Amino acid sequence: MSDQSTLDRFQHARALFRSVIAKPEPTDLYDRQSWNMAGVHTVLTESLLSVYKQAEKITRHDEAAFSFYAFITVSGVTHHHMQEEEHYLPCLEPEFVRRYALMKLVFCIV
């Protein structure tokens, strides 16, 4: 059975990211970065939620296919965050990181 606190964390992340991407694409460079990140993190969150919700219902027949699906999903999240930590975030000005703490929230939520 799915853990309700985990589902609540997914819902919180979804609401947070959707509140950012629901607005038109910003013209300000810094606002646009936050908007783009929220879009990417929405995709990652939805992907992980899909794996989480399906995991309990997998039949023996589907175990190999689901394992591959879960592996690809988690690999995508891992790759994204490695790139973010090693290349993207170090290039940002400290003001950007302070102004848009949304990126840091991702690591606590998901």
Side-chain angles (χ1 to χ4, degrees), residues 1-104:
M1 184 170 158
S2 296
D3 177 60
Q4 189 57 48
S5 67
T6 300
L7 292 173
D8 290 345
R9 292 172 75 179
F10 272 115
Q11 292 295 63
H12 176 75
R14 293 166 95 191
L16 179 66
F17 298 138
R18 286 179 180 174
S19 72
V20 175
I21 62 173
K23 302 169 190 162
E25 182 177 0
T27 56
D28 176 75
L29 175 65
Y30 293 116
D31 290 334
R32 189 177 311 131
Q33 293 302 310
S34 179
W35 186 80
N36 285 333
M37 277 294 212
V40 169
H41 286 98
T42 296
V43 171
L44 298 174
T45 300
E46 294 296 337
S47 299
L48 286 172
L49 182 58
S50 171
V51 170
Y52 185 77
K53 284 184 170 182
Q54 292 180 59
E56 302 178 328
K57 302 170 189 160
I58 301 304
T59 64
R60 277 239 184 268
H61 175 73
D62 295 327
E63 283 178 354
F66 178 76
S67 294
F68 182 70
Y69 171 65
F71 174 75
I72 293 299
T73 301
V74 173
S75 294
V77 171
T78 302
H79 175 75
H80 168 78
H81 283 144
M82 285 177 61
Q83 293 297 313
E84 195 173 63
E85 288 289 322
E86 294 174 12
H87 303 288
Y88 185 72
L89 294 177
C91 294
L92 301 177
E93 299 174 16
E95 174 58 27
F96 181 83
V97 175
R98 279 195 299 276
R99 189 172 168 201
Y100 296 100
L102 175 63
M103 291 177 281
K104 290 186 177 183

